[in-house]
């Protein structure tokens, strides 16, 4: 075998200068008003017909100011991200993306993908997260605060591999962002907060190529810009109290299904005030689950949910392509419990014990295996002689559908299962002792976004 030098000695290999270009920031304001309330939809149109210009969705964020009134509100643990219920992206009458309960998905993935350090630092400044509890910051009853929410979890920001989005389409990219009802965003106790959203802006980083560079790109592509991207769609079902099984038709018809996330939220808190509605994810007594595609089981043997949920958590990591990523941390166990012998109500006297690294009389509780959490308390460190348990669940289930060929994160191939013209079902077995729950399914799949500047000149999407 021929010998080779280390890259450290490859002196002729140096960085090459990029083509002539410039980057700049632009702010886009809503086209349907300047002030919004919970439940309203904000219209933000990213203009087209910008010759040689490109959007960089990974450097895009939604900025808005919230003026609170009536009731102080403790945000759910995703902070101001929880204010966005639904995200839609349209262009020229075509729907590129539509995800309902976007804030539920974002809360779940911020639990699995964000470290406690990020939530306590960058996340705290941007969106009001906290790194040491299952709740966000407190917005006082007369407070005003500006937030900047990264525009994540949409196909424009999840291109594979990374691609800039051409801004020279003949039609605008229209974002339709529906705000969550104020009572759902966080815990305001028995009161109902009133939020007013103002100073709304979509802030985008743009790249403009020189005419010569753009001509080269157009010549290389033949005017055909094809972009592969990941996307999410949401399906929902209802689990009745006391039943031992649930079979739900999910209505997922895509060419490359890669994974499905399953979220159970107790019905009593999913749409109620006085609780952390978005992030209170419980097992709801789930004992095993699998999916059926045209009656074929995936996986062949059900995924078990028992004890601390080790098997289901291993499958969650596989679906996230992180089973052997030993540097990956998350916030799934970021909750408090009173230590030692706990009295009724989760209250114990100070001085009866402690777990190293935590405040006296406070330990980590097993919130990942919470069955039917009330979801109204993130727990507290000892105050006035007592410590209070958290009763928020963080359970999240998932199933991987990609084959091992792409190793999950390949930029060259994708290998999900085709469900075109197929019946996709969820089959879960339950203990029969659980309360009613709302069940959300988030299916991640690959889509193709195409722009033919020699043809229609507008974006088209195929799934």
């Amino acid at each position: 075998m021929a010998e080779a030098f280390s890259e450290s000695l490859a002196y002729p290999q140096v960085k090459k200068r990029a083509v002539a270009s410039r980057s700049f920031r632009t702010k886009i304001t809503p086209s349907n008003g300047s002030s919004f309330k919970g439940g309203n939809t904000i219209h933000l149109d990213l203009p087209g017909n910008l010759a040689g210009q490109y959007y960089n969705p990974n450097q895009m964020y939604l900025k808005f100011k919230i003026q609170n009134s009536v009731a102080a509100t403790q945000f759910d643990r995703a902070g101001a991200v929880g204010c966005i219920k639904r995200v839609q992206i349209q262009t020229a009458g075509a729907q590129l993306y539509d995800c309902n309960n976007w804030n539920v998905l974002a809360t779940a993935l911020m639990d699995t993908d964000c470290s406690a350090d990020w939530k306590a630092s960058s996340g705290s400044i941007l969106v009001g997260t906290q790194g040491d509890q299952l709740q966000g910051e407190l917005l006082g009853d007369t407070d005003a605060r500006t937030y900047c929410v990264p525009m994540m979890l949409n196909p424009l920001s999840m291109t594979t591999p990374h691609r800039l989005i051409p801004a020279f389409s003949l039609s605008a990219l229209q974002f339709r962002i529906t705000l969550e009802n104020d009572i759902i965003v966080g815990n305001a106790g028995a009161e109902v907060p009133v939020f007013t959203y103002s100073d709304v802006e979509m802030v985008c980083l743009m790249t403009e190529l020189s005419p010569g560079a753009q001509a080269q790109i157009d010549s290389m592509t033949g005017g055909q810009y094809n972009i592969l991207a990941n996307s999410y769609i949401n399906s929902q079902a209802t689990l009745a109290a006391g039943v031992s099984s649930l079979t739900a038709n999910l209505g997922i018809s895509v060419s490359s299904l890669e994974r499905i996330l399953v979220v159970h939220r107790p019905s009593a808190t999913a749409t109620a005030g006085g609780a952390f509605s978005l992030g209170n994810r419980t097992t709801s007594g789930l004992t095993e689950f699998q999916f059926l595609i045209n009656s074929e089981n995936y996986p062949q043997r059900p995924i078990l949910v028992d004890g601390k949920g080790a098997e289901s958590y291993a499958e969650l990591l596989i679906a996230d392509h992180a089973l052997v990523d030993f540097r990956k941390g998350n916030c799934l166990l970021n909750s408090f419990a009173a230590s030692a012998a706990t009295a009724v109500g989760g209250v114990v006297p100070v001085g009866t014990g402690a777990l190293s690294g935590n405040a006296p009389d406070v330990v980590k509780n097993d919130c990942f295996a919470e069955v039917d959490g009330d979801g109204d308390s993130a727990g507290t460190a000892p105050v006035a002689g007592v410590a209070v348990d958290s009763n928020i669940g963080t359970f999240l289930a998932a199933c991987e559908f990609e084959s091992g060929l792409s190793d999950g994160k390949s930029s060259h191939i994708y290998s999900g299962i085709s469900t075109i013209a197929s019946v996709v079902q969820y089959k879960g077995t339950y203990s029969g002792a659980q309360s009613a729950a709302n069940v959300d399914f988030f299916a991640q799949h690959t889509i193709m976004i195409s722009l033919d500047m020699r043809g229609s000149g507008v974006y088209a999407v195929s799934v």
Side-chain angles (χ1 to χ4, degrees):
M1 182 178 294
E3 295 180 337
F5 286 107
S6 163
E7 290 184 359
S8 301
L9 299 172
Y11 296 105
Q13 297 178 12
V14 295
K15 284 185 176 181
K16 296 181 180 179
R17 184 173 180 84
V19 297
S21 62
R22 71 183 183 102
S23 291
F24 58 94
R25 187 179 64 158
T26 184
K27 293 185 175 183
I28 297 166
T29 56
S31 61
N32 65 326
S34 58
S35 179
F36 302 91
K37 297 287 188 180
N40 291 168
T41 298
I42 302 172
H43 294 192
L44 292 154
D45 300 332
L46 277 60
N49 286 302
L50 302 177
Q53 295 186 26
Y54 297 80
Y55 295 107
N56 187 349
N58 286 341
Q59 307 294 330
M60 181 183 297
Y61 61 88
L62 182 68
K63 175 185 173 185
F64 54 85
K65 180 179 181 180
I66 296 179
Q67 174 64 62
N68 191 14
S69 60
V70 180
T73 301
Q74 194 87 46
F75 277 118
D76 212 313
R77 60 183 176 274
V81 173
C83 297
I84 301 174
K85 177 174 178 58
R86 183 179 183 184
V87 177
Q88 299 166 276
I89 305 176
Q90 308 165 355
T91 183
Q95 188 93 301
L96 301 184
Y97 178 68
D98 184 2
C99 184
N100 192 32
N101 286 341
W102 183 88
N103 46 9
V104 176
L105 172 64
T107 301
L109 293 185
M110 287 178 71
D111 278 351
T112 60
D113 295 348
C114 293
S115 68
D117 286 343
W118 185 91
K119 284 193 171 185
S121 53
S122 299
S124 176
I125 296 171
L126 290 174
V127 296
T129 55
Q130 296 190 69
D132 59 352
Q133 287 185 293
L134 295 178
Q135 62 184 16
E137 71 179 17
L138 177 68
L139 190 66
D141 56 2
T142 60
D143 284 357
R145 160 87 143 94
T146 297
Y147 298 95
C148 294
V149 177
M151 287 310 300
M152 54 190 177
L153 300 178
N154 69 77
L156 302 185
S157 66
M158 297 191 296
T159 56
T160 55
H162 173 64
R163 293 287 184 264
L164 298 178
I165 305 301
F168 41 82
S169 164
L170 301 182
S171 180
L173 286 168
Q174 301 167 328
F175 278 75
R176 300 293 181 258
I177 297 175
T178 303
L179 298 173
E180 183 60 90
N181 293 327
D182 297 341
I183 199 172
I184 306 298
V185 171
N187 186 351
E191 298 183 273
V192 179
V194 177
F195 291 169
T196 300
Y197 297 81
S198 61
D199 301 337
V200 180
E201 296 174 335
M202 184 77 84
V203 183
C204 313
L205 185 69
M206 306 284 294
T207 297
E208 182 179 14
L209 301 183
S210 67
Q214 179 58 36
Q216 291 179 22
I217 295 291
D218 195 63
S219 175
M220 287 189 299
T221 62
Q224 185 79 35
Y225 298 82
N226 293 323
I227 302 169
L228 278 176
N230 288 137
S231 186
Y232 284 97
I233 51 178
N234 172 241
S235 297
Q236 301 173 47
T238 300
L239 175 69
V243 300
S244 58
S245 65
L246 171 66
T247 300
N249 292 321
L250 305 186
I252 299 170
S253 181
V254 296
S255 62
S256 181
L257 175 63
E258 277 139 32
R259 67 171 175 171
I260 298 179
L261 304 173
V262 186
V263 173
H264 293 77
R265 294 181 296 148
S267 299
T269 65
T271 58
F276 294 100
S277 306
L278 303 173
N280 185 29
R281 302 189 306 270
T282 62
T283 66
S284 294
L286 181 66
T287 57
E288 63 180 40
F289 71 96
Q290 60 189 156
F291 293 87
L292 289 80
I293 300 178
N294 287 339
S295 299
E296 182 178 351
N297 292 327
Y298 290 88
Q300 288 296 316
R301 299 173 71 89
I303 298 171
L304 300 182
V305 182
D306 56 5
K308 290 184 176 291
E311 180 177 331
S312 62
Y313 188 68
E315 294 295 332
L316 173 63
L317 288 175
I318 289 173
D320 198 29
H321 314 299
L323 183 62
V324 292
D325 184 355
F326 300 114
R327 296 172 298 175
K328 183 180 178 64
N330 59 48
C331 300
L332 287 172
L333 296 178
N334 247 9
S335 64
F336 294 122
S339 66
T342 304
V344 176
V347 177
V348 298
V350 169
T352 56
L355 181 68
S356 177
N358 292 295
D361 301 306
V362 176
V363 298
K364 293 291 187 182
N365 77 350
D366 194 13
C367 52
F368 187 72
E370 186 78 48
V371 177
D372 279 322
D374 291 337
D376 59 5
S377 173
T380 64
V383 177
V386 296
V388 179
D389 281 353
S390 166
N391 55 18
I392 299 171
T394 61
F395 180 75
L396 180 64
C399 183
E400 169 79 335
F401 291 95
E402 277 194 298
S403 79
L405 290 177
S406 65
D407 195 29
K409 293 186 178 180
S410 172
S411 62
H412 305 292
I413 58 176
Y414 59 97
S415 58
I417 294 175
S418 174
T419 63
I420 300 292
S422 300
V423 177
V424 181
Q425 295 176 301
Y426 164 83
K427 183 173 68 173
T429 302
Y430 296 83
S431 65
Q434 75 284 346
S435 302
N438 294 2
V439 189
D440 281 282
F441 304 92
F442 295 98
Q444 180 179 333
H445 61 105
T446 293
I447 65 172
M448 171 75 81
I449 303 172
S450 301
L451 175 62
D452 185 1
M453 294 306 295
R454 304 281 199 277
S456 65
V458 297
Y459 283 101
V461 63
S462 55
V463 297

